[in-house]
Amino acid sequence: MLTYAKYGNPDPARRLLLSEAEWAARLLPAQFQVLRQARTEPPYRNAYCRSYEPGRYACAGCGQVLFDSAAKYHAISGWPSFTQPATRGALRFHFDDSHHMQRVEVRCNVCEGHLGHVSADGPAPAGLRFCINSASLRQAPEGTL
């Protein structure tokens, strides 16, 4: 993850690049603010914070599968938290030094939409916590994505 953030990310199998006007027309206002403007939704008052239904989580912008519900856990962070992505190349990583912090930002590797951040305070074995905005996700029941 740090190597990708520092030296570059893997190329996705496909790309979805749209203008800001096209993204605004395609997304709900809350999705646009998170995915395209890198905003953060309020903690605990979001769709998937307390949801543990089986299924997969895809990018709300492009439909790329990002996480599996089997990797979701209760982190008491206020946002959905996952231990790992669904596939190795699903995510992009970038250094984020905004708000006087040094973090690793997580983006969708297909549309480059902002998802959230990853930190090294998660459970074993990898010790990672992918803290993701619900507005950047769309959940689909198991077997539909």
Side-chain angles (χ1 to χ4, degrees), residues 58-132:
C59 176
C62 68
Q64 167 72 25
V65 175
L66 303 171
F67 299 99
D68 191 278
S69 62
K72 191 170 188 289
Y73 73 103
H74 185 63
I76 314 173
S77 68
W79 296 274
S81 296
F82 301 88
T83 58
Q84 64 184 15
T87 61
R88 185 178 182 140
L91 306 175
R92 297 183 75 74
F93 303 99
H94 297 273
F95 282 115
D96 177 5
D97 60 2
S98 63
H99 307 290
H100 307 290
M101 294 184 272
Q102 291 185 342
R103 305 178 289 177
V104 176
E105 178 189 13
V106 178
R107 295 183 192 174
C108 174
N109 202 17
V110 172
C111 70
E112 297 190 21
H114 171 78
L115 304 172
H117 293 86
V118 61
S119 58
D121 62 357
L128 298 176
R129 177 174 55 94
F130 291 86
C131 188
I132 307 299

